[in-house]
Amino acid sequence: MAGYLTTHVLDTATGRPAAGLQIDLYRVTDGDMALIKTVVTNADGRTDAQILPAAEFACGVYELRFHAGAYLDAQGVPSENPRFLDMIPIRFGMSEETHYHVPLLLSPYGYSTYRGS
């Protein structure tokens, strides 16, 4: 089985998918970070394609950066200065050739993630 990476972002404050949220994927090697791609969530809070498809998959350490502040601004959520949550980085390792799903549950004042399926 070939490995691949997906995500899903839900806005728990509204109970809806977080559409239009920008996500950057980085590969982390010896402390250096290389941007692999930038994607935006669709109306279902997912990306239109796998973030890291099987053809590009490699085990290692990665970081997803969720642009929460820009998303919250676009939703009209009142902003403090600075906003409590702006950029949400999630660093994780992929150690085997399988499906990795890294979802984000987001609100203006908190978030959670887990290894999904």
Side-chain angles (χ1 to χ4, degrees), residues 3 13 23 35 46 51 61 78-79 86 92 94-95 98-99 112 117:
I23 305 166
L35 179 64
R46 300 177 188 274
I51 296 175
V61 178
S79 176
D86 184 25
F92 57 97
M94 297 191 294
S95 60
T98 190
H99 177 200
S112 66
S117 58

Side-chain angles (χ1 to χ4, degrees), residues 30-93:
D30 298 326
D32 292 328
M33 297 181 61
L35 179 64
I36 295 174
K37 70 173 59 171
T38 296
V39 295
V40 176
T41 57
N42 59 25
D44 193 36
R46 300 177 188 274
T47 56
D48 289 333
Q50 297 164 351
I51 296 175
L52 193 61
E56 301 170 25
F57 185 88
C59 292
V61 178
Y62 292 84
E63 184 169 299
L64 287 169
R65 290 188 182 175
F66 296 86
H67 292 249
Y71 165 78
L72 294 167
D73 289 346
Q75 300 308 303
V77 175
S79 176
E80 319 79 22
N81 188 16
R83 184 176 280 288
F84 180 69
L85 289 177
D86 184 25
M87 186 71 62
I88 299 174
I90 300 174
R91 188 170 290 191
F92 57 97

Side-chain angles (χ1 to χ4, degrees), residues 2-22:
Y4 61 99
L5 174 65
T6 59
T7 191
H8 188 198
V9 186
L10 297 174
D11 183 333
T12 59
T14 64
R16 296 189 314 247
L21 191 145
Q22 180 179 322

